[in-house]
């Protein structure tokens, strides 16, 4: 008995009618590959280095790097094919890819509070905040965000709209809290650490504070236009419809954050650079050299 299965072919995002189409397609391919390689290598470097896993700040970095790696993989679908995520949706992903933003937002917020208590309230932090608590917080960010998405798909449309409104209000509250915490951490880094004696511990605290501040600032800058557009469109009911996400500058800008964040981690943390080189890229280079010698033979 033969089974007849119909596959719907999704067209590519561009028509290849001009040089600009080729450039845009190649740009998205390079962006996807770069994001997966950089974010994936950061995640692998942290996972395979016990010294980093014993530090809470690197667990937060690991969580965001996993999100960024998945976002990089999603680029190959969302930007290479005729896909429009949002309203009106076209060949969408049922908001699975955009929801990674929610995981990143919650992770950054928890990381900001983690760094604040680690520097300003070290006794409380050392007594109550350990690796298990940080891991549970990171797992909660996934369960909360995707659990809410699952409920939104299962309930009637009226309830789904109410959940969507609640999500947007929550997003604005979280963004406001992130901005306040960023300013607070800048003040802490400027004045609180100056009162501590020079040494490796103060340098580590300063590095961790600056990393989270810089990362959050770039996150807000890159995601700000898209989030502001979403809020304004929801309030006014007016949407600017693009052909697909591949030609939407706000979507391109926001997705570039998935490459920007792990790159900032590498630039700001020498220990992370060393771990990524030893556990990932040094072995890749050795394999490439070995292959080159075998081919030469």
């Amino acid at each position: 008995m033969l089974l007849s299965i119909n596959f719907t072919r999704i067209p590519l995002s561009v028509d290849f009618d001009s040089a600009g189409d080729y450039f845009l397609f190649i740009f998205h391919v390079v962006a996807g590959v770069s994001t997966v390689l950089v974010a994936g290598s950061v995640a692998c470097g942290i996972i395979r280095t016990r010294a980093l896993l014993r530090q809470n700040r690197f667990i937060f970095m690991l969580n965001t790097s996993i999100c960024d790696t998945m976002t990089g993989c999603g680029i190959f679908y969302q930007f290479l094919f005729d896909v429009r995520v949002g309203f009106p949706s076209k060949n969408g992903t049922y908001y699975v890819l955009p929801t990674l933003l929610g995981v990143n937002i919650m992770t950054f917020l928890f990381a900001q509070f983690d760094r604040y208590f680690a520097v300003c309230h070290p006794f409380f932090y050392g007594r109550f905040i350990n690796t298990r608590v940080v891991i549970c917080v990171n797992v909660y960010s996934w369960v909360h965000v995707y659990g809410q998405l699952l409920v939104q798909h299962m309930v009637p449309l009226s309830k789904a709209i109410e959940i969507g409104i609640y999500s947007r209000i929550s997003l604005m509250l979280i963004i406001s809290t992130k901005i306040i915490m960023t300013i607070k951490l800048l003040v802490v880094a400027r004045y609180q650490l100056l009162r501590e004696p020079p040494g490796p511990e103060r340098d580590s605290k300063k590095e961790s504070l600056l990393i989270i501040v810089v990362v959050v600032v770039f996150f807000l800058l890159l995601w700000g236009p898209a989030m502001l557009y979403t809020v304004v469109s929801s309030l006014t009911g007016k949407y600017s419809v693009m052909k697909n996400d591949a030609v939407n500058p706000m979507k391109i800008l926001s997705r570039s954050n998935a490459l920007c964040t792990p790159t900032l981690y590498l630039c700001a943390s020498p220990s992370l650079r060393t771990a990524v080189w030893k556990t990932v890229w040094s072995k890749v280079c050795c394999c490439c050299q070995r292959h080159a010698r075998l081919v030469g033979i």
Side-chain angles (χ1 to χ4, degrees), residues 90-204:
K90 179 169 63 173
N91 301 321
T93 59
Y94 298 98
Y95 292 95
V96 172
L97 290 179
T99 304
L100 289 170
L101 164 66
V103 178
N104 262 339
I105 286 179
M106 294 191 66
T107 304
F108 286 140
L109 183 63
F110 290 142
Q112 286 180 303
F113 280 107
D114 175 83
R115 290 300 87 200
Y116 173 77
F117 284 112
V119 175
C120 297
H121 304 281
F123 296 105
F124 169 85
Y125 186 84
R127 183 176 181 181
F128 295 102
I129 309 299
N130 53 34
T131 303
R132 181 176 299 178
V133 172
V134 174
I135 292 175
C136 290
V137 165
N138 283 277
V139 171
Y140 169 76
S141 65
W142 288 87
V143 174
H144 175 86
V145 173
Y146 278 98
Q148 184 174 315
L149 178 65
L150 180 63
V151 171
Q152 194 168 0
H153 285 307
M154 295 177 64
V155 298
L157 180 60
S158 58
K159 292 294 183 181
I161 294 175
E162 292 180 4
I163 294 175
I165 295 173
Y166 160 77
S167 299
R168 292 184 180 93
I169 295 174
S170 300
L171 177 63
M172 296 308 298
L173 292 176
I174 292 175
I175 294 299
S176 301
T177 306
K178 286 169 67 66
I179 295 174
I180 294 172
M181 286 301 301
T182 300
I183 298 173
K184 182 68 176 178
L185 290 177
L186 282 173
V187 174
V188 169
R190 181 68 181 86
Y191 298 104
Q192 180 80 13
L193 291 178
L194 290 178
R195 296 185 295 180
E196 295 189 8
E201 184 176 355
R202 191 182 78 166
D203 293 339
S204 177

Side-chain angles (χ1 to χ4, degrees), residues 242-270:
M242 297 280 185
K243 176 186 175 183
N244 50 47
D245 289 343
V247 297
N248 190 331
M250 288 185 293
K251 293 293 181 67
I252 296 173
L253 185 66
S254 60
R255 288 297 179 268
S256 65
N257 181 78
L259 176 60
C260 178
T261 298
T263 302
L264 290 173
Y265 288 158
L266 291 172
C267 292
S269 177

Side-chain angles (χ1 to χ4, degrees), residues 13 24 27-28 78-79 83-87 225-226 229 240-255:
S13 58
L24 187 63
F27 170 80
H28 289 311
Q78 184 176 354
F79 291 92
V83 175
R84 184 171 55 239
V85 176
F87 181 84
Y229 167 78
S240 176
V241 180
M242 297 280 185
K243 176 186 175 183
N244 50 47
D245 289 343
V247 297
N248 190 331
M250 288 185 293
K251 293 293 181 67
I252 296 173
L253 185 66
S254 60
R255 288 297 179 268

Side-chain angles (χ1 to χ4, degrees), residues 14-26:
V14 294
D15 299 324
F16 297 105
D17 293 332
S18 64
D21 289 344
Y22 285 94
F23 173 79
L24 187 63
F25 193 82
I26 294 172

